[in-house]
Amino acid sequence: MNAFEPHSDDVVHLVDGTGQMDGTDQDSKLAKCQDIIGYQFKDLSLLLSALTHASGASHRLASNERLEFLGDAVLGLVVCRWLFEEYPEYNEGDLTKIKSAVVSRRSCGKVAIQLGLDRCLIVGRGVTRNRSYPRSLVSDVFESVVAAMYLDGGDEIVRQRLKEWLADEVATAVETQGSNNFKSTLQQYAQRDLASTPVYRLVSESGPDHRKAFLISAVIAERQFPAAWGSNKKDAEQHAASNALAELHGLPLPFPDTDS
């Protein structure tokens, strides 16, 4: 398999198939895509369909929309089996949260751009000229390529590739979504990656003595993370740890302080 060579995960690069630049014609895109994914198709028409956006198709059924439909299901099944086999300590609820994060449009789009699949997408000239494309089309091509590989090479090929491409997404989702013991997860992360141990700082408290609420923030090496409320200090610390994990991984805060 060819090396995984990421480029910026913030910028989508689309070029139409006019062939006016080297590497932008249809045949070059097919070759480039096969090089990226480390798989040579027996039936190139499958890959051509997977890479063809509706704007660049001769008719709707020639686009990647049908393959996207199948790819969504294949992706979900492969990730579910992966999580089921490798994380036996997690219950159904945890596995569902992890899986949802891994197969989200955000994750698929990010990985597609890191791989460079956006450069292989066959789109109409107007899409690249006007830059009016929806961001979701990059995640869509990821799903359609997964489906094409599944039909051409079988589930084992897909499983091998996805376990390489989505390894970081799974690890992040497990750390941020997979366990209710967020303090333990944050401590492991901080000690492993930040060479520090989290401490928890009481920011505020409110309510009568018999029904107090506590606002607590996690602090790692003097960096204070967004505080979270809890009906007791134990819950507040768990919520604060969850907020810290989310911020460290660039994800939305699960327990925002709505009063701030």
Side-chain angles (χ1 to χ4, degrees), residues 3-26:
F4 177 74
E5 299 179 352
H7 64 281
S8 170
D9 60 3
D10 295 321
V11 181
V12 177
H13 299 276
L14 296 182
V15 287
D16 59 44
T18 60
Q20 295 175 353
M21 297 170 54
D22 290 342
T24 67
D25 61 283
Q26 180 174 293

Side-chain angles (χ1 to χ4, degrees), residues 71-120:
D72 178 67
V74 172
L75 177 63
L77 178 60
V78 170
V79 171
C80 282
R81 178 182 172 185
W82 177 1
L83 299 177
F84 181 85
E85 292 176 346
E86 296 199 12
Y87 298 94
E89 69 275 23
Y90 288 142
N91 63 30
E92 180 268 345
D94 286 334
L95 293 174
T96 297
K97 288 187 291 184
I98 297 169
K99 179 251 188 181
S100 295
V102 172
V103 304
S104 68
R105 285 191 177 277
R106 182 202 65 81
S107 292
C108 291
K110 175 184 174 183
V111 172
I113 295 172
Q114 287 176 333
L115 285 167
L117 293 181
D118 52 327
R119 297 178 184 270
C120 303

Side-chain angles (χ1 to χ4, degrees), residues 67-225:
L67 283 171
E68 177 199 339
F69 163 77
L70 176 60
D72 178 67
V74 172
L75 177 63
L77 178 60
V78 170
V79 171
C80 282
R81 178 182 172 185
W82 177 1
L83 299 177
F84 181 85
E85 292 176 346
E86 296 199 12
Y87 298 94
E89 69 275 23
Y90 288 142
N91 63 30
E92 180 268 345
D94 286 334
L95 293 174
T96 297
K97 288 187 291 184
I98 297 169
K99 179 251 188 181
S100 295
V102 172
V103 304
S104 68
R105 285 191 177 277
R106 182 202 65 81
S107 292
C108 291
K110 175 184 174 183
V111 172
I113 295 172
Q114 287 176 333
L115 285 167
L117 293 181
D118 52 327
R119 297 178 184 270
C120 303
L121 190 57
I122 298 167
V123 296
R125 186 177 302 182
V127 174
T128 52
R129 182 174 62 245
N130 299 326
R131 294 282 174 175
S132 59
Y133 53 86
R135 302 282 297 185
S136 62
L137 78 102
V138 186
S139 60
D140 293 344
V141 76
F142 182 80
E143 293 177 345
S144 62
V145 167
V146 165
M149 281 197 302
Y150 172 76
L151 292 173
D152 195 74
D155 59 345
E156 185 60 25
I157 290 293
V158 172
R159 192 174 71 87
Q160 291 172 2
R161 300 304 188 272
L162 289 180
K163 291 194 78 170
E164 177 189 1
W165 300 340
L166 296 176
D168 288 344
E169 298 302 309
V170 168
T172 297
V174 167
E175 286 185 338
T176 59
Q177 305 289 331
S179 173
N180 290 326
N181 191 358
F182 298 111
K183 287 182 65 176
S184 176
T185 303
L186 180 63
Q187 180 169 314
Q188 292 173 22
Y189 178 91
Q191 291 176 343
R192 183 187 70 234
D193 293 353
L194 305 176
S196 185
T197 298
V199 296
Y200 294 88
R201 182 175 298 165
L202 178 64
V203 177
S204 179
E205 57 183 81
S206 66
D209 289 342
H210 67 281
R211 199 170 61 193
K212 274 192 177 298
F214 300 89
L215 182 66
I216 289 179
S217 177
V219 180
I220 303 176
E222 300 305 315
R223 176 181 174 182
Q224 184 163 330
F225 292 88

